[in-house]
Amino acid sequence: AITHEKHADLIKELINCSWNGIEIVDMPTLYEQLTGKIPFKHINDMWMLHVVISKPKLYGKLVKPVIEIVFALILFVLLIPAMVVIALLIKTNSHGRIFYTQERTGKDGKEFTIIKFRTMVENAELTTGAVYTSDNDPRITKVGKFLRKWRLDEIPQLLNVIRGEMSLMGPRPERYVFIKEFEEKIPFYAQ
């Protein structure tokens, strides 16, 4: 549970424990496992180094992307009938395009265009600029509320996964304007 600098003797003992098969879990990691959140105030450069070192390299760079692309392709084909119905609902419920595209920043700062079903009125950010949506946001259409509730608006993102631009599981690709804000507030956000 020690979140500040650890004494060298403690580090040696923890290493000995680890070599003897005892699993060592620090407080930020345990907190993340229990809550699904990272305690930003308690992470430091050593925590980040541990995360990077412990990640399986081959799996993350080769196996996971291939599995995700194949899985996304299968899902996309199976969901074509549902996508046709959703597209018709969007078109009959509001004026504008069926799909919504937006520039996002993915892994290693690569820009790409994310595609989703449109859930808001056309040009929803024309007057407000880049803002997060809130509960009962008046810009969200009736069909959009349903799509967002069941995450159906995100089905077209399977194309982004198939193109290798994003992952089925992993950090959410965000807009550049928000990334700059997060990098100032969240330690190691870019990593």
Side-chain angles (χ1 to χ4, degrees), residues 36-54:
K37 299 175 182 175
I38 298 173
F40 298 121
K41 292 179 183 173
H42 296 289
I43 63 173
N44 57 27
D45 52 353
M46 289 308 294
W47 180 85
M48 179 54 75
L49 180 62
H50 174 73
V51 168
V52 171
I53 288 172
S54 65

Side-chain angles (χ1 to χ4, degrees), residues 73-168:
L73 192 56
I74 293 167
L75 265 178
F76 187 82
V77 170
L78 292 174
L79 290 172
I80 287 174
M83 288 190 284
V84 170
V85 171
I86 291 169
L88 290 170
L89 288 171
I90 292 170
K91 204 62 180 162
T92 57
N93 180 253
S94 64
H95 299 290
R97 300 171 295 149
I98 294 170
F99 296 103
Y100 173 74
T101 58
Q102 189 179 70
E103 290 303 309
R104 295 286 177 101
T105 303
K107 187 176 180 183
D108 300 324
K110 291 181 182 172
E111 297 272 331
F112 70 97
T113 304
I114 200 168
I115 183 168
K116 300 172 81 168
F117 282 119
R118 184 176 56 82
T119 58
M120 292 189 172
V121 295
E122 189 77 14
N123 298 318
E125 290 187 335
L126 197 59
T127 57
T128 62
V131 292
Y132 276 111
T133 59
S134 59
D135 293 336
N136 302 317
D137 192 320
R139 302 171 300 163
I140 300 174
T141 64
K142 289 177 186 175
V143 170
K145 285 181 184 179
F146 174 79
L147 295 177
R148 283 173 172 249
K149 179 180 179 182
W150 298 101
R151 304 283 190 245
L152 299 173
D153 59 319
E154 299 185 11
I155 293 173
Q157 290 178 48
L158 290 169
L159 289 173
N160 294 112
V161 175
I162 293 166
R163 293 190 295 218
E165 297 165 332
M166 60 185 285
S167 179
L168 284 175

Side-chain angles (χ1 to χ4, degrees), residues 165-180:
E165 297 165 332
M166 60 185 285
S167 179
L168 284 175
M169 295 175 63
R172 172 189 171 94
E174 216 19 286
R175 295 166 74 177
Y176 183 77
V177 65
F178 295 130
I179 287 175
K180 286 289 142 207

